[in-house]
Amino acid sequence: MNLTNIKTFGELKKTGYKSRGIKEELRENLLEKIKKKETVFKGVHGYEHSVIPELERAILSKHNINLLGLRGQAKTRLARLMVQLLDEYIPVVEGSEINDDPFEPISRFAKELISEKGDKTPISWLHRDERFSEKLATPDVTVADLIGDVDPIKAANLKLSYADDRVIHFGMIPRANRCIFVINELPDLQARIQVALFNILQEGDIQIRGFKLRMPLDLQFIFTANPEDYTNRGSIVTPLKDRIGSQILTHYPTSIEIAKTITEQEANLEAEQKNHVKVPELAKDLLEQISFEARESEYVDIKSGISARMSITAFQNLLSTAERRALHNGDENTILRFGDFMGVIPSITGKVELLYEGEQEGAAFVAQQLIENSVKTIFPELFPKIEKLQKENEENPYDEITQWFFESSGVELADNLTEKQYNKTLNEIEPLKDLVEKYQPDLSENERYFVMEFALWGLAAFNKLSKHRFNEGLQFQDLYGNYINNL
C-alpha cells in the first residue's frame, strides 16, 4: 500500500501505522541493514574497521554524535549518509512549521488543529531527503537563528500580546524536528550559544525570550569539530560535551590504495579527459604519496591537517596539464608524463598550512620538495636502493647512466614536446632504457616512458644527477659536470 496517498489522520490510523522517534527509526533501520549484510555508508573508504563500526554502535545506542577530526576526513559526508537510514516518508500535520507527528503533536498549531478536526486533520508526507538540516557554526550565529525569537511583525498582524506564545518565530532547530540536524565546526560556536543547546539535548524543552515551552523535540544531533589543539577560535564547553553521547575520531587514509580509491571517486573527471589521457598506475601512487609526505613534512603544520581534497584537486590539475599539452601539440590522445606533475603545484600550495620554516622557504619550494620526497619514497620499490655511502670499486646499477650523462651534455625535456619527440629523447639514453627493462620488464607501452622519466627524477633526488627547471621544461645533467661547467 502506498501510504503517501493517505491525506487525513483518520485514514492513517486505519492502516495501523505506528510512529516512532527518529533515534528508534535510525536504530531499527540500521539493524535491518546489518542483518541483510547491506553496506550502510556507501562511498566512504578506509573506515570499515574503525570509524563506521563506532558510528553504528552510536546509532544503535541512540546517541547524539560528535565527529572529531581534521579537515577533509569525510565528517559531513558521514552525517549526510545517515539520511539513508531514515524511513522513506513520514506523516506530518499539514501546515506545521515543526513537522508535527499527528500521533504526538507538540506545537500549539497542531494540537489545536487536531482538537478541531479530529480524524479529518489533513496530513502530508515528508521525504527522508528533506529531513536533513545543516548549519555551519560561525561567530555571527545567534540564539534566535538556532532556537527562535519573538516576532513583533507577527504579533502586530495577529493583534497578539507578547505574552501569547503564538508570537514566537521558531529557529532552525525546532524547524528540524524529526530530522537529522548537523552543526559543523562546533568549537567555532560561541560559548553562550552552545549553552542554549543544553536543554534541547538533555531535557527536551526550549526557552525563547521568557517563554518556557515544554516541546520534546525529536532530533538526531550530529556535530563535527576539529581537534581542540588545532583550532584557536574556540572549544566545546564541557557541559555540552557531557551531553553528547558518542565522540568518534576520524582519520586520513592509512594506505595509498585507499587514498587512490577516494581520489578517483571524488575527482568527477570529464569522460573526455579520462578517454584522452592515459594515466600510469605509478603516477596515481606518486600523487597520493604527496599527501602522505606533507603529513610528515617539517615545513607543514600537521595539526591543521592535509585534506583529501588536496589529492583530488591535484589529480584534476595533473590530467588537465596533460590535456592542455596534447591540445597544443594537436594530439588527440596522450600519456601522462612525470613533467606534468609541475602542474599540480597550485593545488598543493593552496591546501597546506606552512610552519615558520616553510613560510621562509616559500610555498612553491615546499610543494616541489613534497613531490621530490614522494619520488624518493617510491623509488626503492621499483629500482635498487641507492646507498648514501658506496664502497670503492663496488658495482652500481646506475654507473652506466651517470657515465652517459658525464660524457654528454645531458637532456632537455621541454613541457610541450610531441609524443614522438619525447619518446625519442628518452630512448637516446640507452643505459636508462636498459635499467627500466631489467628491473621493470612487464611495463606496458603507456607506462614505460613515464617510468623512465621517473627514474631520472629519482637519480636527481638521490644526487646522482642534477635537475634544473627552466621556463619551458626540465634539464637533466651530470651532477659534477654541471658544477664544472658553471665555474
Side-chain angles (χ1 to χ4, degrees), residues 254-270:
T254 54
S255 72
I256 295 291
E257 289 305 314
I258 293 170
K260 283 197 296 185
T261 302
I262 294 169
T263 298
E264 290 189 45
Q265 173 182 284
E266 300 299 319
N268 293 322
L269 298 172
E270 296 291 335

Side-chain angles (χ1 to χ4, degrees), residues 112-175:
E112 288 180 351
L113 187 64
I114 292 172
S115 177
E116 178 190 342
K117 297 193 174 183
D119 287 351
K120 292 183 180 180
T121 302
I123 63 169
S124 57
W125 294 86
L126 191 66
H127 191 264
R128 62 181 163 217
D129 289 345
E130 299 176 80
R131 297 175 64 194
F132 181 88
S133 292
E134 186 176 5
K135 180 61 181 170
L136 176 63
T138 54
D140 62 336
V141 172
T142 65
V143 173
D145 293 332
L146 294 179
I147 313 298
D149 203 349
V150 170
D151 186 348
I153 296 175
K154 186 186 286 187
N157 288 341
L158 298 176
K159 297 181 179 178
L160 299 171
S161 75
Y162 284 180
D164 194 312
D165 61 11
R166 285 174 290 179
V167 303
I168 291 174
H169 171 77
F170 292 113
M172 293 183 70
I173 291 176
R175 288 173 181 273

Side-chain angles (χ1 to χ4, degrees), residues 176-194:
N177 184 40
R178 303 174 73 197
C179 300
I180 295 171
F181 191 83
V182 178
I183 299 181
N184 282 314
E185 307 301 341
L186 181 60
D188 286 352
L189 203 63
Q190 292 182 50
R192 63 186 180 83
I193 313 297
Q194 293 184 36

Side-chain angles (χ1 to χ4, degrees), residues 48-115:
E48 294 82 0
H49 305 293
S50 54
V51 176
I52 289 176
E54 291 187 358
L55 187 54
E56 290 179 348
R57 286 194 287 269
I59 294 169
L60 294 176
S61 300
K62 299 191 287 187
H63 285 173
N64 292 314
I65 300 164
N66 182 28
L67 296 171
L68 186 67
L70 297 173
R71 57 185 175 175
Q73 292 185 350
K75 300 186 293 296
T76 305
R77 167 169 287 215
L78 286 170
R80 288 176 179 162
L81 286 172
M82 280 181 63
V83 170
Q84 300 306 311
L85 291 173
L86 297 171
D87 293 341
E88 187 173 8
Y89 288 96
I90 58 167
V92 300
V93 176
E94 195 170 276
S96 167
E97 289 182 276
I98 61 172
N99 306 322
D100 276 288
D101 182 347
F103 291 96
E104 296 180 15
I106 60 174
S107 73
R108 178 168 176 166
F109 166 82
K111 288 175 182 177
E112 288 180 351
L113 187 64
I114 292 172
S115 177

Side-chain angles (χ1 to χ4, degrees), residues 218-443:
D218 185 22
L219 289 155
Q220 171 65 56
F221 275 102
I222 308 288
F223 303 102
T224 72
N226 283 321
E228 288 176 87
D229 60 349
Y230 156 52
T231 177
N232 57 11
R233 298 185 297 267
S235 62
I236 306 173
V237 298
T238 305
L240 182 58
K241 275 186 182 178
D242 189 49
R243 286 167 166 80
I244 300 172
S246 290
Q247 179 168 281
I248 297 169
L249 301 179
T250 57
H251 57 80
Y252 287 120
T254 54
S255 72
I256 295 291
E257 289 305 314
I258 293 170
K260 283 197 296 185
T261 302
I262 294 169
T263 298
E264 290 189 45
Q265 173 182 284
E266 300 299 319
N268 293 322
L269 298 172
E270 296 291 335
E272 187 180 10
Q273 263 188 332
K274 290 192 283 188
N275 293 334
H276 293 177
V277 181
K278 304 298 179 188
V279 184
E281 204 62 28
L282 175 59
K284 297 176 183 178
D285 291 344
L286 280 161
L287 187 77
E288 301 302 337
Q289 187 63 37
I290 292 171
S291 293
F292 282 76
E293 295 295 336
R295 291 171 193 140
E296 301 291 332
S297 173
E298 61 183 338
Y299 297 124
V300 176
D301 182 5
I302 58 172
K303 290 181 180 179
S304 71
I306 303 298
S307 170
R309 286 182 282 270
M310 186 173 88
S311 295
I312 295 163
T313 54
F315 189 52
Q316 292 165 338
N317 257 358
L318 187 62
L319 265 70
S320 296
T321 304
E323 183 182 37
R324 180 180 178 276
R325 168 172 47 76
L327 288 169
H328 274 286
N329 291 336
D331 297 329
E332 186 175 340
N333 299 308
T334 189
I335 302 164
L336 195 75
R337 302 174 187 172
F338 200 101
D340 295 331
F341 270 80
M342 292 297 96
V344 310
I345 289 176
S347 300
I348 300 171
T349 55
K351 294 287 193 300
V352 295
E353 296 289 334
L354 301 179
L355 295 171
Y356 176 76
E357 293 82 358
E359 295 285 359
Q360 293 294 102
E361 296 289 352
F365 171 83
V366 173
Q368 291 184 49
Q369 281 292 107
L370 294 176
I371 294 171
E372 292 188 8
N373 289 345
S374 300
V375 173
K376 292 177 77 172
T377 299
I378 292 180
F379 187 86
E381 297 176 13
L382 277 70
F383 300 106
K385 186 176 180 181
I386 297 176
E387 301 291 347
K388 287 184 178 180
L389 297 176
Q390 184 182 339
K391 294 179 181 177
E392 192 175 352
N393 299 324
E394 184 181 2
E395 190 176 334
N396 187 307
Y398 307 107
D399 284 343
E400 291 184 16
I401 298 175
T402 53
Q403 185 64 29
W404 187 93
F405 275 91
F406 182 78
E407 294 172 356
S408 70
S409 59
V411 294
E412 288 186 359
L413 293 173
D415 293 336
N416 287 332
L417 286 176
T418 64
E419 294 293 323
K420 189 175 181 180
Q421 291 169 330
Y422 175 76
N423 296 348
K424 181 176 180 293
T425 302
L426 288 174
N427 281 330
E428 288 174 352
I429 313 171
E430 285 291 340
L432 177 65
K433 189 177 175 183
D434 295 340
L435 178 81
V436 172
E437 286 179 356
K438 179 178 180 180
Y439 291 103
Q440 297 297 323
D442 301 324
L443 293 174

Side-chain angles (χ1 to χ4, degrees), residues 9 25 36 42 209 310 376 423 468 475 482 485:
F9 187 27
E25 195 180 325
K36 293 177 182 176
K42 291 180 181 177
R209 292 288 184 183
M310 186 173 88
K376 292 177 77 172
N423 296 348
H468 171 66
Q475 182 183 55
N482 182 53
N485 291 336

